[in-house]
Amino acid sequence: MRHSPEHADDDHDDVERLDERFRELVVQLAPQVPPPPVAGIHKVVRRRRLRNRVLVGAASLVLLAGGATVVGLVSTDDGPPHRAAAAPPPAASPVTSTTPAALSDALFPSAQEFPVVAGVYENWHATETRTALTENLGPCATQTLAGLGAVEAQERVFNHDGQGGGLVRLVRYPDERTAAVAATDVTGGLAGSCPDNQPNPAADGLPLIKALDKEGDVWRTQGVINGNLDQYVDYGIVRSGPVVAVVQETVIDPRGVPPTDGFLRLVAGLRDRLGKNGSGP
């Protein structure tokens, strides 16, 4: 609709009154409009950052305490939390067992493994198994079982129809090094002087001792008892890990010099027995 010039002043007054009413409305409504949530946004951000720091700290404590693999949350000031790469667990330390193998019945040879020689070694049989009665591992040893800290010591007694018998002594030491010292002490004594043996009059009053194998693990001592009876005692020394075995057989007043091949087989069988029954390398 077109306005005539004579009504122009009235229109201008109406516009000014409308502007004034709008300003009044703004003034009345302004206190009722909530401000932008700037403070709330800041509060949420701070709470989220604190939570993330707690999670990361807890993950670090788990890693230090147990070495477990943990995926933690990591936050930055410029973005939301994100997953961090899992930390690899620490390398496991090698565990070396120091517990020596226990003695068992399977480590003892059977009576049938002892050599059979007519009139010398016949009808072998085991009579008893007991705690070792002496502190010496062998006849010429200078070290005692207690002195070397033996963990366990057993012996089995064997008899035959002639005069004499047999004995197998098993000793378990705390470690291989001590067992090696014990075995070397026995063989070293047999290779040197052995005052515990009865003297042999044919050898200028000294005991007659000789090695029966190249390794120096099997020995024979020859002497006399009661002043006129010949006595032969054969010894075999075997070590496997922390276990040392000494086997001996004795014959008194035989009709001749006892053979040695059967005793060598007995010692070889004892060595295999110890190796197969977990006493050590």
Side-chain angles (χ1 to χ4, degrees):
M1 179 177 96
R2 301 187 62 181
H3 298 276
S4 58
E6 58 270 16
H7 296 290
D9 292 337
D10 295 337
D11 292 340
H12 179 71
D13 293 340
D14 291 339
V15 171
E16 287 183 353
R17 283 196 298 271
L18 181 61
D19 289 341
E20 183 177 354
R21 293 300 302 275
F22 181 78
R23 284 194 295 271
E24 291 176 356
L25 180 62
V26 170
V27 172
Q28 293 174 2
L29 295 178
Q32 302 178 26
V33 177
V38 176
I41 293 174
H42 289 172
K43 184 177 181 180
V44 171
V45 171
R46 285 195 300 269
R47 185 166 58 246
R48 184 178 300 171
R49 290 175 179 172
L50 177 60
R51 180 195 62 189
N52 292 335
R53 283 195 294 268
V54 171
L55 289 175
V56 173
S60 301
L61 288 177
V62 172
L63 285 172
L64 291 175
T69 301
V70 177
V71 178
L73 293 177
V74 179
S75 65
T76 64
D77 293 340
D78 299 328
H82 61 276
R83 289 188 177 274
S93 300
V95 178
T96 304
S97 175
T98 59
T99 303
L103 300 181
S104 68
D105 187 73
L107 297 180
F108 287 100
S110 65
Q112 288 72 30
E113 294 180 61
F114 279 80
V116 176
V117 179
V120 181
Y121 308 119
E122 290 183 295
N123 298 323
W124 285 95
H125 55 280
T127 60
E128 66 174 318
T129 302
R130 62 199 182 191
T131 301
L133 299 183
T134 67
E135 275 288 316
N136 293 324
L137 183 61
C140 306
T142 61
Q143 301 284 346
T144 64
L145 303 184
L148 289 173
V151 177
E152 185 179 4
Q154 296 182 12
E155 59 188 20
R156 180 165 294 178
V157 181
F158 297 84
N159 282 334
H160 55 74
D161 288 348
Q163 298 185 73
L167 181 71
V168 177
R169 182 175 293 122
L170 299 174
V171 181
R172 180 167 61 105
Y173 292 94
D175 51 55
E176 293 188 27
R177 183 191 63 81
T178 306
V181 170
T184 302
D185 182 46
V186 176
T187 57
L190 287 166
S193 61
C194 189
D196 291 340
N197 280 317
Q198 296 293 331
N200 182 359
D204 300 327
L206 299 176
L208 181 61
I209 305 174
K210 64 178 181 179
L212 300 183
D213 67 344
K214 296 179 180 179
E215 293 77 17
D217 295 330
V218 186
W219 297 80
R220 165 166 287 182
T221 67
Q222 180 183 352
V224 295
I225 60 173
N226 297 329
N228 59 358
L229 297 178
D230 287 333
Q231 173 179 268
Y232 295 85
V233 185
D234 296 339
Y235 295 94
I237 299 91
V238 176
R239 183 186 73 84
S240 183
V243 175
V244 176
V246 174
V247 56
Q248 68 184 66
E249 63 178 15
T250 304
V251 61
I252 300 173
D253 198 23
R255 290 178 297 183
V257 178
T260 61
D261 54 346
F263 187 73
L264 289 171
R265 287 194 298 268
L266 174 63
V267 175
L270 181 61
R271 182 179 294 107
D272 292 341
R273 185 179 297 271
L274 262 65
K276 292 178 181 178
N277 285 278
S279 61

